[in-house]
Structure formats: structure tokens, C-alpha cells
Amino acid sequence: MKRSQFWALILALSAQLTFAAPEGWQLVRSDTARDIRVYLRDVPGSSYKSFYATTRAKAGLASVVAVLTDVPALPEWIARLKAARLIKREGDQQLWVHSVYGLPYPFLEREAVLHSTLSQDKSGVVEIITRAERGAIEVSPNRVRLTNMHGVWRLTAETGGTVKIEMWGRGEPGGYMPPVLFNYNLPDEPLQTLRNLRQMLTREKYKEKNLKLIGEPS
């Protein structure tokens, strides 16, 4: 695995780090042709909603992880992500990435320092958990620093050579951003991100990928 590839998540916004079936979630977007569904639900004590999105792709676990960990390529497929730069890493399962997100006028760009960790449990399920952290780099005067931003990718191998891909997140956009506008546009971002991720998985560089830290189902 190249040193430029690291465990990453970057689009996600959440506080509880548990996944469940979409119980209590409201389906707000879907792409039937690509088997993508996006759900929203209210967050107690916040005006900003959280999201849960899922799809299935014909790929191995390592192939999906290879896309998620290819830091230089992240802006090619994660919605609104303009730039991603490694700050530091500890081993192969933790890293800190500086991410920059573009927003339409008149809103300022957002930036975040995201600490991501990767794990695979005994059943083979892979999770990448990300939290925004303060510090690490100086705050830009022309951007808004995101500090309340958390999320999870969960990858589950299924029969027939498919992987169930789940992403879940929650956070607050910082600065000036009316909740009604944020919540209206929120589901479009995971929808576009999963569409792009599925397209990335068709690239030769990610196919039939093998990673030492990722065990494939036997």
C-alpha cells in the first residue's frame, strides 16, 4: 500500500457512532438504478439533521477501502470536497487529514482537521470512523473551521461478491448557514458521493485490490 494512501472518511457529519437499519429515518432521496437510498432524521438539541445513506456495489472489501483511502483522489468523488491533504498518520489505521469544502456564494469555504480510524471486526465488517478535531493547523481567515463533524463508513461483504456500503453522519456547518437551507441540500451530498464512489470502483487501479489489513470473506 502506498504511503499516499491512508484511512479516510471526509464527508460525514455525526455524533453517535452506531449503525442500525433505517428505523426512525425518513427516506428523502433514492436512485433505483444504482441502488442508492438516503435518509434523514432530526437530532435532539440541534436544528441540523443527520443522514444515513446506503448502496451495494460489485466489489471486494479491499477495493472499496482502496478508494476511501486514496487521499489525493478524494476530491474527485466526495461531494463539495475541494482539497484533501495529509497532516500526519500513526500506523496504518489512524490519520489526520486537512479537508477543504467549497460552498456556493455567498458562503465561505469550510475546512476541517479530520481524525480517522479504521478497524475490521471478527465478522469481517470494516468501519472507518472520523471526527473533526481542533488545532493541528492554523485557522484560515477566509474559511470557517468545522469542529462538530463526525461520521462512519461501514462495509459489509455479502454473497455474490457484493459489498454493502453504509455512510452515516451528523454535524453543524459553522458560521452562517440557515438550518432550512442546510437540511434541504444535505441529502444531495451523500447521494452524489455514493454515485461517484460506485464509478470510482470501476477504475482498474482499484479492481482486484489486496490490502494486508483487510481480510476478504473466505
Side-chain angles (χ1 to χ4, degrees), residues 58-174:
K58 193 79 171 176
L61 287 172
S63 293
V64 182
V65 171
V67 177
L68 299 180
T69 61
D70 190 355
V71 174
L74 293 177
E76 296 181 39
W77 62 274
I78 293 181
R80 296 199 182 281
L81 184 63
K82 292 183 61 178
R85 177 177 63 86
L86 176 72
I87 298 173
K88 69 172 182 175
R89 72 168 183 168
E90 293 182 0
D92 290 321
Q93 293 173 282
Q94 291 193 79
L95 63 83
W96 287 257
V97 173
H98 177 228
S99 303
V100 179
Y101 303 90
L103 296 177
Y105 180 85
F107 301 107
L108 293 176
E109 290 182 347
R110 265 55 175 175
E111 65 176 354
V113 175
L114 301 176
H115 175 204
S116 297
T117 60
L118 178 145
S119 64
Q120 185 174 31
D121 66 20
K122 292 181 180 179
S123 69
V125 174
V126 175
E127 282 193 347
I128 302 176
I129 299 174
T130 294
R131 293 179 179 271
E133 294 190 353
R134 299 177 184 273
I137 63 170
E138 202 172 317
V139 177
S140 169
N142 300 317
R143 297 179 181 137
V144 175
R145 175 66 59 87
L146 302 175
T147 57
N148 180 8
M149 184 175 179
H150 313 277
V152 179
W153 289 93
R154 173 176 283 184
L155 312 176
T156 306
E158 298 182 323
T159 57
T162 63
V163 173
K164 182 179 181 182
I165 302 170
E166 299 170 279
M167 61 183 301
W168 181 86
R170 182 195 121 192
E172 298 192 357

Side-chain angles (χ1 to χ4, degrees), residues 158-208:
E158 298 182 323
T159 57
T162 63
V163 173
K164 182 179 181 182
I165 302 170
E166 299 170 279
M167 61 183 301
W168 181 86
R170 182 195 121 192
E172 298 192 357
Y176 172 70
M177 176 69 69
V180 64
L181 183 61
F182 176 90
N183 294 332
Y184 178 80
N185 289 287
L186 177 60
D188 292 329
E189 297 182 16
L191 179 67
Q192 188 59 44
T193 294
L194 289 182
R195 282 173 174 165
N196 293 342
L197 173 58
R198 292 170 60 88
Q199 187 62 35
M200 293 290 286
L201 287 168
T202 66
R203 295 188 181 183
E204 288 299 324
K205 65 182 291 188
Y206 302 119
K207 289 182 178 179
E208 307 299 329

